[in-house]
Structures are given as C-alpha cells and as structure tokens.
Amino acid sequence: MPKLTDAERDEMLKPLFDTGWRMVDGRDAITKTFEFKNFVEAFGWMTRCAIHAEKLNHHPEWSNVYKTVEVTLSTHDADGLTENDVKLAKRMDKQAG
Ligand SMILES: C[C@H](O)[C@H](O)[C@H]1CNC2=NC(N)=NC(=O)C2=N1
C-alpha cells in the first residue's frame, strides 16, 4: 500500500487533527492519547480496537497506563502513513465515543 500523497494528507489527516491526533516528531506517523474513566473502560476500548485492527490487518503501537492509552499509527510495510492508518484512527475515535 503506497504512502499518502500530499493531497491525500490534506484531505484525510486534517479531520484527524481536529479530533486530537497529531504528527509524531521526526516520523511519518500520527499519535493520540486517549483518556478513559478507569482502567476497565480503557482496556475494553483496547479490546474493541484490537478486533478492528485484526479486521484491517493493521495494528497500532500503543501503551496503556491505568486509564490512559497512548496510540501511534504508521504502516511499517510502507515506512509511513497510508490509508490504513487513517481507517484505524477513525475507528479508534468512533470506539472512544
Ligand atoms: C504480515 C502482516 O500482514 C503485516 O505485517 C501487517 C500486519 N499489521 C501491520 N500493522 C501496521 N501498523 N503496519 C503494517 O505494515 C502491518 N503489516
């Protein structure tokens, strides 16, 4: 899968920036920190997102401390951002409500 073109970035990343995603310094990747009410809410969200990741065959780099989950998305096979990263980010936002 090819990396996003400049035009695709303008079109597809801007809506994600509006929901709190931002570029990772020095990497063609996006990151967002999700905060939940408690650990169970956080882990439930991770579980739902894991199912979406498997369906997309596209997996996040993420870490969870108590009610916080830090997520970074990039496509390893392309060494940068692709449409799969946009798709998974949207699903993660939707699952977070
Ligand atoms: C073999 C397997 O299909 C590939 O490694 C998939 C799995 N999940 C993936 N996830 C991400 N983020 N990037 C990839 O390039 C990727 N490739």
Side-chain angles (χ1 to χ4, degrees):
M1 177 174 282
K3 282 201 270 193
L4 295 174
T5 63
D6 289 345
E8 287 169 333
R9 288 167 193 267
D10 283 346
E11 177 201 341
M12 298 181 182
L13 295 182
K14 279 211 173 92
L16 293 177
F17 295 152
D18 290 343
T19 65
W21 293 89
R22 57 178 172 76
M23 293 302 293
V24 175
D25 291 343
R27 263 190 83 182
D28 192 21
I30 52 174
T31 188
K32 179 173 180 178
T33 298
F34 291 83
E35 195 83 29
F36 297 90
K37 282 186 292 192
N38 53 49
F39 174 73
V40 170
E41 293 286 317
F43 201 81
W45 175 81
M46 292 178 80
T47 302
R48 297 193 301 278
C49 291
I51 293 164
H52 283 284
E54 269 303 288
K55 283 179 181 173
L56 291 171
N57 188 32
H58 194 73
H59 304 84
E61 301 163 36
W62 52 2
S63 66
N64 160 243
V65 176
Y66 183 47
K67 60 183 181 176
T68 301
V69 186
E70 290 184 7
V71 181
T72 297
L73 301 178
S74 188
T75 302
H76 308 134
D77 297 344
D79 195 23
L81 288 170
T82 69
E83 272 192 67
N84 276 341
D85 297 302
V86 174
K87 281 180 190 169
L88 185 54
K90 283 179 178 173
R91 295 195 188 188
M92 288 183 145
D93 280 346
K94 187 172 182 186
Q95 285 300 321

